[in-house]
Amino acid sequence: MNREKLKYNLVCLISFLLMPICASANMVWPSLYIAEGMRSWYVILIGLVIEIVFVKYFLKETYLKSALVAFVMNLVSTILGVVAIPLSGFIGEVLMIPFGTGTFHPTHWLMSYVFAILSNVLVEGLTVKFIFKHKFKKMFWWLCVANAISVIICILFHGIAMQNINI
């Protein structure tokens, strides 16, 4: 691939990834609240504790290695989640168009919740697979449960606390 085409593709990719954050922010608010909340120190700390316990129990690692695995997968998830969660929310909102409900309708919160969980599971699972050499299939369900707990804590602390938001 020549340089010009590579530059063009890179600009298109970056533009596409930023689109839900800037151009369509009014359409993905639940996901943006979740993405913002997932970066708060207490949600990160609670999520780390939850995932250390899950890693220790399901991957049978030492506490130190469990803490390292949880830290690395959450570091990658936090960095990529800034884009992945709003992007997944955008996809969820597009899927909700036929139902004609408003952005803050409980179904949109539910869709954003599920998609945020799946985004985190994908990023964290692949991180652990490639860095720590564990099988993704063996991690999928417990990562879903661990992230479901973390994301619901985030929604409860941030979504409900936001003014004019009714969940």
Side-chain angles (χ1 to χ4, degrees):
M1 186 181 303
N2 67 30
R3 283 190 115 154
E4 291 302 315
K5 187 162 180 134
L6 183 62
K7 285 180 188 178
Y8 173 79
N9 288 340
L10 186 60
V11 168
C12 288
L13 176 65
I14 291 169
S15 298
F16 177 73
L17 291 175
L18 293 176
M19 184 179 68
I21 295 170
C22 19
S24 300
N26 63 333
M27 219 170 96
V28 294
W29 282 119
S31 293
L32 291 176
Y33 282 124
I34 294 170
E36 183 64 29
M38 293 300 285
R39 296 186 310 178
S40 65
W41 68 269
Y42 49 89
V43 172
I44 291 171
L45 184 62
I46 292 168
L48 275 172
V49 170
I50 291 167
E51 288 182 351
I52 288 169
V53 170
F54 275 72
V55 169
K56 172 72 177 138
Y57 182 78
F58 288 103
L59 295 183
K60 313 271 190 259
E61 299 285 2
T62 65
Y63 281 107
L64 186 60
K65 180 87 180 259
S66 297
L68 177 65
V69 170
F71 176 78
V72 170
M73 70 184 192
N74 278 282
L75 177 66
V76 174
S77 180
T78 299
I79 293 167
L80 296 180
V82 171
V83 173
I85 292 173
L87 181 60
S88 70
F90 178 75
I91 293 166
E93 291 296 328
V94 169
L95 294 174
M96 295 299 290
I97 288 173
F99 301 104
T101 55
T103 300
F104 287 107
H105 190 271
T107 56
H108 292 251
W109 276 100
L110 180 61
M111 179 75 73
S112 295
Y113 172 67
V114 170
F115 277 37
I117 293 166
L118 293 175
S119 296
N120 287 343
V121 168
L122 182 64
V123 171
E124 292 176 358
L126 292 176
T127 299
V128 174
K129 176 183 176 176
F130 291 121
I131 295 175
F132 298 100
K133 308 301 183 206
H134 288 282
K135 294 187 178 177
F136 183 74
K137 283 183 179 181
K138 289 187 175 186
M139 295 180 287
F140 181 79
W141 290 110
W142 65 259
L143 275 173
C144 282
V145 172
N147 278 286
I149 295 167
S150 297
V151 175
I152 199 66
I153 289 169
C154 172
I155 290 172
L156 291 175
F157 281 121
H158 289 277
I160 292 175
M162 297 292 177
Q163 290 182 336
N164 302 320
I165 303 301
N166 297 316
I167 299 177

